[in-house]
Amino acid sequence: MSSNLVLSSKSSASDDTVAVVTGGKRRPVRSDTGWAGRLLANVFLWGYAVVALGPLLLMVNNSFRTQQQIAMEPLGLALPPSLTSFQEAWLTASFDVYFRNSMIVTTGAVLLTTVVSVMAAYGLARARNRWFRGVEAVFLSGLMLPVHLAILPLFYLLDSLRMTSNLFSLILVYGALGIPFSTFVLTVFFRQLPQELEEAARIDGASTARTFVEVLLPLVRPALATVVVFRFVPVWNDFFYPLILMRDPDSYTLPVGLTRFFGEYQTDWPQLFAGLTIATIPLVVLFLLATKQIISGLTSGMSK
């Protein structure tokens, strides 16, 4: 009689396991089908990562090269690396001004959107009056309207108020455009929180404002991080509104400022790649800092 005895087998789409008894001990044996599937998935994911990161690495590499090196060998390595393009882009091409303007506009707009949306979402999530359903529908209607269709009346309004070429006007525009989406996301999170938490806080003598700030806001931190990231990226990269509303070059943001590197007959590629690298750094840092909160916010409510 054979010393090995098969006790059970399990088959699934991702992994096939057979339990075998050898010398009185039970050990799992994985079939080749599950191993091949995992290998294929890893190859696909790593291949996608290489394709996605390839242009980014090429941009960073060429930012450390000279115009002559890029013209002679576009895909060559930056050997030796040069920081001249960064110095020229930051100082000579006024990139420091564009970077500062983008930081002011993006930070102000995201802060305005988050503050207004979190208070509106809490009110809509806890309201029991039927009239608040109409208010919620007004917020949601902002998700269905193409925002670029309002550029003409918006331009005339800001021009009549003499607010063109004003960074504060961009903050107001971006802040208002982000409220519908942010309110929708935060309302869903507030409705998942049990009202017993607020009742317990009131029994302890906490006011509504204190309960909101000290009890509820920490619980919706993943949603806040999701809202901040999802609003920071489009505002930081937006080219349309600064191009239309900003007439003074000193009020340009990074996407509009990058167009200065394009000439009619020649393009300064090292400065352009250096400017793109500088513009990408805040986004990379933001995602590295908020990755955990973003995943928690996107997966909240998916498990019991």
Side-chain angles (χ1 to χ4, degrees):
M1 181 181 294
S2 175
S3 60
N4 297 340
L5 178 63
V6 178
L7 294 182
S8 62
S9 63
K10 296 181 180 180
S11 299
S12 62
S14 61
D15 188 18
D16 296 336
T17 305
V18 179
V20 180
V21 173
T22 305
K25 296 183 179 180
R26 181 187 181 100
R27 62 182 180 87
V29 178
R30 298 184 181 275
S31 66
D32 294 337
T33 305
W35 177 84
R38 289 191 297 273
L39 178 61
L40 182 62
N42 288 331
V43 171
F44 173 78
L45 293 176
W46 278 108
Y48 175 79
V50 170
V51 173
L53 294 177
L56 181 63
L57 296 177
L58 180 63
M59 175 190 70
V60 176
N61 176 71
N62 285 335
S63 65
F64 291 99
R65 305 176 71 197
T66 63
Q67 181 82 352
Q68 183 179 4
Q69 290 175 337
I70 295 177
M72 295 180 61
E73 194 176 0
L75 300 179
L77 296 177
L79 297 174
S82 174
L83 296 176
T84 304
S85 58
F86 287 92
Q87 297 173 355
E88 294 178 351
W90 187 259
L91 299 177
T92 306
S94 302
F95 218 71
D96 57 335
V97 177
Y98 306 145
F99 189 88
R100 181 196 63 197
N101 293 341
S102 289
M103 287 299 299
I104 293 175
V105 171
T106 306
T107 304
V110 171
L111 182 62
L112 177 62
T113 298
T114 305
V115 171
V116 174
S117 299
V118 72
M119 293 188 294
Y122 174 69
L124 293 174
R126 291 294 183 258
R128 296 182 175 87
N129 195 320
R130 63 179 183 178
W131 295 105
F132 279 89
R133 297 180 181 177
V135 176
E136 185 176 3
V138 172
F139 278 98
L140 295 179
S141 64
L143 296 173
M144 298 180 289
L145 299 177
V147 294
H148 293 96
L149 294 180
I151 186 59
L152 190 59
L154 185 61
F155 175 80
Y156 284 132
L157 174 62
L158 295 178
D159 187 57
S160 63
L161 297 175
R162 298 181 179 179
M163 293 184 63
T164 55
S165 297
N166 190 334
L167 297 180
F168 183 69
S169 63
L170 275 182
I171 293 176
L172 293 179
V173 171
Y174 286 132
L177 294 178
I179 288 177
F181 170 78
S182 303
T183 303
F184 171 74
V185 173
L186 292 171
T187 301
V188 174
F189 273 79
F190 275 117
R191 284 175 176 168
Q192 293 178 354
L193 299 179
Q195 297 188 11
E196 288 78 6
L197 296 174
E198 301 171 61
E199 296 174 358
R202 292 192 185 97
I203 293 175
D204 291 337
S207 62
T208 303
R210 186 177 179 182
T211 303
F212 174 72
V213 174
E214 298 184 5
V215 177
L216 298 181
L217 280 185
L219 296 177
V220 297
R221 187 171 55 185
L224 290 175
T226 303
V227 167
V228 168
V229 173
F230 273 69
R231 288 308 305 159
F232 189 96
V233 175
V235 173
W236 182 267
N237 292 328
D238 186 62
F239 177 81
F240 182 74
Y241 285 103
L243 178 66
I244 302 299
L245 302 179
M246 300 293 106
R247 301 178 179 178
D248 187 3
D250 291 335
S251 60
Y252 286 169
T253 56
L254 282 175
V256 181
L258 287 171
T259 59
R260 296 191 61 183
F261 298 124
F262 292 95
E264 183 177 359
Y265 302 104
Q266 185 178 4
T267 299
D268 194 332
W269 293 108
Q271 290 192 30
L272 176 61
F273 286 126
L276 291 171
T277 302
I278 295 173
T280 307
I281 290 175
L283 300 179
V284 175
V285 173
L286 178 65
F287 273 102
L288 291 177
L289 294 177
T291 298
K292 183 177 180 180
Q293 297 296 333
I294 295 172
I295 295 176
S296 300
L298 294 177
T299 59
S300 178
M302 295 179 61
S303 60
K304 297 182 179 179

